[in-house]
Amino acid sequence: MKPRANTLGILLHHQNILVEEQYGKHSKGKGFYYRPIGGTIEFGEHSQQTIVREFQEELGVEVTIQRYVQCIGNIFEIDGDIGHEITQIYLVAFCDHSLYEVEQFQVKEEAKVTLAKWIPIADFENGRKALYPAGLIDSVKDFI
């Protein structure tokens, strides 16, 4: 299996980060876990184009890229299966500033529907909630 190239958008507001809430098995066990909005980079697509497209497809909103943050190599194990992602991270902002007041968004990805919520960054710093990819919280702290 080859590594998967993807991109994630960090969207911050008042010490909170907008993340998709999912439930299932993850590298720390089973339960709720969170990740920023983003997705797989398509062949021939720049990661900047991917993050803008993913916010449009998944939330139906437009974002602008504020700056490139970093690349995270994420190797993880779930039930004995190894996953490997190479993730480009961007700091993004809503084009429509009124969206910062929306408490949660429906995330639509094919037939699957989940929620994106504003979660206090402190919940990830103190380990109350699991944020993926591992190590992302350290990057986020640089912007709060």
Side-chain angles (χ1 to χ4, degrees), residues 1 9 11 15 21 25 28 34 42 44 46 48 55 69 72 89 96 99-100 102 108-109 115-116 119 121 131 140:
M1 181 181 276
L11 223 157
Q15 306 295 314
E21 179 180 73
K25 292 181 181 179
K28 294 180 182 174
Y34 302 84
E42 294 179 358
H46 190 282
Q48 291 178 343
F55 269 88
V69 176
I72 294 179
I89 310 291
D96 178 351
L99 293 172
Y100 286 101
V102 176
K108 298 174 186 172
E109 197 165 3
L115 293 177
I119 302 291
I121 293 166
L131 179 66
V140 170

Side-chain angles (χ1 to χ4, degrees), residues 22-133:
Q22 297 192 31
Y23 184 84
K25 292 181 181 179
H26 52 91
S27 61
K28 294 180 182 174
K30 184 176 181 179
F32 286 104
Y33 63 97
Y34 302 84
R35 75 170 193 105
I37 301 300
T40 302
I41 299 169
E42 294 179 358
F43 183 77
E45 183 177 53
H46 190 282
S47 60
Q48 291 178 343
Q49 295 169 303
T50 303
I51 198 60
V52 170
R53 175 181 54 76
E54 288 290 338
F55 269 88
Q56 181 61 51
E57 289 176 0
E58 293 183 6
L59 299 184
V61 302
E62 291 184 30
V63 295
T64 59
I65 294 172
Q66 302 295 298
R67 67 172 285 205
Y68 176 75
V69 176
Q70 78 178 94
C71 180
I72 294 179
N74 184 28
I75 300 171
F76 55 94
E77 182 178 340
I78 300 173
D79 286 344
D81 293 327
I82 302 294
H84 187 175
E85 298 175 327
I86 298 170
T87 305
Q88 299 290 346
I89 310 291
Y90 291 93
L91 182 67
V92 299
F94 284 131
C95 291
D96 178 351
H97 294 279
S98 70
L99 293 172
Y100 286 101
E101 303 310 317
V102 176
E103 290 184 27
Q104 61 185 23
F105 299 83
Q106 275 195 341
V107 180
K108 298 174 186 172
E109 197 165 3
E110 298 173 11
K112 181 180 171 185
V113 177
T114 57
L115 293 177
K117 302 176 176 183
W118 295 104
I119 302 291
I121 293 166
D123 285 0
F124 300 116
E125 288 178 307
N126 63 28
R128 276 190 294 230
K129 296 185 187 295
L131 179 66
Y132 292 102

